Amino acid sequence: QVQLVESGGGLVQAGRSLRLSCAASGSISSIDAMGWYRRAPGKQRELVALITSGGNTNYQYSVKGRFTISRDNAKNTVSLQMNSLMPEDTAAYYCNAQTRQAGYWGQGTQVTVSS
């Protein structure tokens, strides 16, 4: 079992920055990829950014160049630095951890970007 706790959401104006963090606990050694997903009102959940245990990253096209995902294996954390935020980035953001057996989710943190 893996437990994930997100932090760092909030309300910001367009163009500003936010940093999300996710702390993992439990069966840490079993985690392979970690990532951030988001769900905007009325839309399906979508991948924002992903980072493997080896440090390879993958981003949704709309956030490339603005968002940066990073991982600290020593601290068991994954972070998402979000710059140049836009109103369309408004969503609930969820941390995800993948093991060979299952995927785990955090409780989510709300990001609201005002125009």
Side-chain angles (χ1 to χ4, degrees):
Q1 294 289 323
V2 175
Q3 295 78 44
L4 303 170
V5 178
E6 302 105 332
S7 60
L11 171 64
V12 294
Q13 290 184 326
R16 303 298 292 270
S17 299
L18 274 178
R19 185 177 180 85
L20 305 181
S21 294
C22 173
S25 61
S27 300
I28 304 300
S29 60
S30 65
I31 296 176
D32 183 13
M34 297 188 74
W36 289 93
Y37 290 72
R38 67 187 181 188
R39 177 180 285 155
K43 295 186 178 180
Q44 291 187 335
R45 184 168 57 196
E46 60 182 7
L47 173 68
V48 177
L50 187 75
I51 186 167
T52 68
S53 57
N56 295 316
T57 59
N58 187 32
Y59 294 92
Q60 182 193 113
Y61 179 79
S62 68
V63 307
K64 282 184 178 180
R66 299 189 299 121
F67 291 10
T68 302
I69 190 170
S70 59
R71 182 170 176 174
D72 188 332
N73 290 325
K75 296 182 178 180
N76 303 317
T77 59
V78 62
S79 298
L80 185 68
Q81 178 66 41
M82 304 184 294
N83 299 329
S84 302
L85 283 161
M86 302 185 293
E88 46 266 47
D89 295 317
T90 294
Y93 284 70
Y94 298 88
C95 179
N96 174 267
Q98 291 289 329
T99 70
R100 289 186 179 182
Q101 291 77 29
Y104 298 89
W105 296 93
Q107 80 286 356
T109 186
Q110 180 67 34
V111 172
T112 302
V113 184
S114 62
S115 58

